[in-house]
Amino acid sequence: MGKQREFYDEQTAAGRLGVPVAAWRWAAGFGLVPPADAGPGQWSRSAVDAADAEGVRAALRGPMAAGQAADRLTDALGEPLPSCRPRVTAAAVGHLVKAGLLVWLGGEAACPDVHPDQVAALARRRDLPAVLDRHVPLGPDQAAVRLGVRRSDFDQVVRLGWLAPIGSVDIDYKHHGGVTTVPLYDAQEIALLEVVRPSVDWRAVRTIRAGRRSPLAGLDPAAPGGDQVFLAAVARIARVGRAAVVNWRRRHDDFPDPVAGTDVHLQFDRRAVVAWLLAHDKIEVPVGPTIAALVLAGTGGATHRFRLDDPWLALADDAAGEDTLSGWSTDADADQLAALAGGEFGASLRRLTAPGTGPLAVPGGVRVIERFRSGSGGLRLTLAWPAGLRGTAGSGPAGGVVRHGVAYVGPGGACVCARHDCGGVVPVSWCAEHGDAVAPVLEWHPGGGIRCTDLSRSRDLAAVAGWAERPS
């Protein structure tokens, strides 16, 4: 009788239990079998025999291929995929396994099989974009997408010395040139570029037209090891005043030491400063573009929802002016927006939620004034409408313009309607004085800038006078 084995690796442990190796790996990764007690990846015979073979086999549920896992994680990022966010690849799943976020169940280490339940749990994480940035390096083409620029512009970023490869991967293109070594870049450093290089007009870089010279082409690369910043530049990176940075340096012993400059004008290594700002929560890694959500209605009245990435909202400070909103869109959404706004009176904007302003609504006149294809291939739309029609959106997801039912009227003491400094009142149904039957006098209440007096001339002044004569 042969000598019995005393120690087992994952292959022999799975064989002893009569289960697939992938099932043992999954069970070991999630504590469904006793921990390795005979060294890294090694189990004693007693530990293997103590495992529940049927439980190990039942927990596997069939491995998921790396490509399927990548598609699942891409879907979790949003539909449509946000701009400045590349698709998750099968190779990215390999990096997530290396980071310990997924358990390798088989297949090639670079594109492993993983457990579908674990992929689903990762896809539900609200910090999934940050997780990908932290653990998945990007090739040059993916890096250009993450930065939202053309590939040639990303090459300029590398030429300037702002990014350096952290590794490489060999890709076999077979009939298209054979094996090629592709550099890999840290996705978190790419995402931070806009923060740590505030002097660059990144909007101009992202919207450059095809065939035009890059705004980065005229910049000179820093000398090796010479990327240094003054305290004022550190303040710009952190979006604070210079005095705040001086205070941080005085209060924190671990603030980076100066590397050059004079006693009055100290210079610091940019990378060291950025690392310190990150560690002390003075800056954050952007995980993606800001988003504007729109609810539009055409002449038929049916509402349609749209999304614009990286929105730029310009509000006129004159009632006779024009408001504009631009942002990245999909081709399908752009076509539908153009169709909605193509009528004689444009479209109605029931609700616009964009960074930097409260919810807006426009009763009509919304139209598409530009469709612009950038050199990186993205489609950027610009919408416009008369500023005099801009209003504050009502509560609720459907929105709609909050209308003044009473203007320039001093409501009675028992009135519970919403009141504004201009004298306008938005009636509510339970108000005994006004109720919800008051006809609108003014279309909207502006948020800073245009006053109701600018609009009252175009309204029914008789209605205003009629309400003014009502007793309090």
Side-chain angles (χ1 to χ4, degrees), residues 222-227:
D227 193 7

Side-chain angles (χ1 to χ4, degrees), residues 53-79:
E54 290 305 317
V56 170
R57 186 181 292 107
L60 181 60
R61 284 193 49 231
M64 173 183 278
Q68 292 176 296
D71 291 343
R72 176 69 181 85
L73 295 175
T74 298
D75 292 342
L77 291 173
E79 179 60 40

Side-chain angles (χ1 to χ4, degrees), residues 148-181:
V149 302
R150 300 175 299 187
R151 169 62 192 273
S152 60
D153 293 308
F154 179 76
D155 291 341
Q156 292 288 355
V157 167
V158 176
R159 177 189 67 84
L160 291 167
W162 296 352
L163 289 174
I166 60 170
S168 63
V169 62
D170 291 335
I171 299 179
D172 188 357
Y173 289 104
K174 301 190 184 302
H175 302 297
H176 301 281
V179 177
T180 301
T181 300

Side-chain angles (χ1 to χ4, degrees), residues 228-252:
Q228 296 153 4
V229 291
F230 293 104
L231 286 177
V234 178
R236 288 191 64 189
I237 292 172
R239 297 187 178 183
V240 296
R242 184 179 182 278
V245 180
V246 173
N247 189 43
W248 294 342
R249 182 168 178 260
R250 184 174 64 250
R251 293 177 56 190
H252 296 276

Side-chain angles (χ1 to χ4, degrees), residues 6-103:
E6 294 296 329
F7 304 107
Y8 296 80
D9 60 15
E10 58 184 18
Q11 297 276 351
T12 54
R16 182 168 179 82
L17 287 186
V19 300
V21 175
W24 179 267
R25 288 172 180 158
W26 173 248
F30 266 76
L32 301 179
V33 298
D37 58 348
Q42 295 284 323
W43 287 264
S44 66
R45 186 173 63 181
S46 59
V48 175
D49 290 342
D52 177 8
E54 290 305 317
V56 170
R57 186 181 292 107
L60 181 60
R61 284 193 49 231
M64 173 183 278
Q68 292 176 296
D71 291 343
R72 176 69 181 85
L73 295 175
T74 298
D75 292 342
L77 291 173
E79 179 60 40
L81 189 67
S83 65
C84 298
R85 181 59 68 177
R87 294 186 62 85
V88 182
T89 64
V93 176
H95 289 288
L96 295 173
V97 168
K98 291 179 182 178
L101 295 166
L102 296 172
V103 175

Side-chain angles (χ1 to χ4, degrees), residues 110-126:
C111 301
D113 295 337
V114 289
H115 198 287
D117 289 350
Q118 198 174 24
V119 173
L122 183 59
R124 288 194 296 268
R125 288 182 57 161
R126 299 185 65 178

Side-chain angles (χ1 to χ4, degrees), residues 80-344:
L81 189 67
S83 65
C84 298
R85 181 59 68 177
R87 294 186 62 85
V88 182
T89 64
V93 176
H95 289 288
L96 295 173
V97 168
K98 291 179 182 178
L101 295 166
L102 296 172
V103 175
W104 175 51
L105 300 182
E108 296 182 11
C111 301
D113 295 337
V114 289
H115 198 287
D117 289 350
Q118 198 174 24
V119 173
L122 183 59
R124 288 194 296 268
R125 288 182 57 161
R126 299 185 65 178
D127 64 340
L128 176 61
V131 167
L132 295 173
D133 282 343
R134 193 176 305 120
H135 298 293
V136 179
L138 302 176
D141 290 335
Q142 295 171 306
V145 173
R146 181 68 183 91
L147 194 54
V149 302
R150 300 175 299 187
R151 169 62 192 273
S152 60
D153 293 308
F154 179 76
D155 291 341
Q156 292 288 355
V157 167
V158 176
R159 177 189 67 84
L160 291 167
W162 296 352
L163 289 174
I166 60 170
S168 63
V169 62
D170 291 335
I171 299 179
D172 188 357
Y173 289 104
K174 301 190 184 302
H175 302 297
H176 301 281
V179 177
T180 301
T181 300
V182 177
L184 298 176
Y185 298 88
D186 188 306
Q188 184 165 283
E189 286 193 21
I190 295 168
L192 271 172
L193 269 178
E194 191 170 357
V195 176
V196 304
R197 304 282 173 176
S199 60
V200 176
D201 187 350
W202 291 104
R203 187 176 299 276
V205 177
R206 291 189 177 112
T207 56
I208 191 73
R209 294 182 182 275
R212 296 290 182 89
R213 186 169 184 260
S214 169
L216 303 175
L219 302 180
D220 295 325
D227 193 7
Q228 296 153 4
V229 291
F230 293 104
L231 286 177
V234 178
R236 288 191 64 189
I237 292 172
R239 297 187 178 183
V240 296
R242 184 179 182 278
V245 180
V246 173
N247 189 43
W248 294 342
R249 182 168 178 260
R250 184 174 64 250
R251 293 177 56 190
H252 296 276
D253 294 337
D254 61 340
F255 194 90
D257 293 327
V259 296
T262 65
D263 292 340
V264 178
H265 300 290
L266 300 172
Q267 289 183 295
F268 301 82
D269 179 76
R270 187 189 298 268
R271 286 183 176 274
V273 166
V274 169
W276 187 90
L277 293 173
L278 279 172
H280 288 262
D281 296 325
K282 305 300 183 184
I283 60 174
E284 295 181 349
V285 180
V287 295
T290 55
I291 292 174
L294 299 85
V295 180
L296 264 73
T299 53
T303 59
H304 304 266
R305 298 182 182 276
F306 301 95
R307 186 186 87 194
L308 293 180
D309 290 352
D310 189 25
W312 185 261
L313 179 63
L315 299 179
D317 57 4
D318 188 322
E322 189 171 65
D323 299 335
T324 59
L325 170 69
S326 64
W328 302 105
S329 173
T330 64
D331 288 271
D333 277 0
D335 291 341
Q336 192 173 9
L337 271 167
L340 279 174
E344 181 180 358

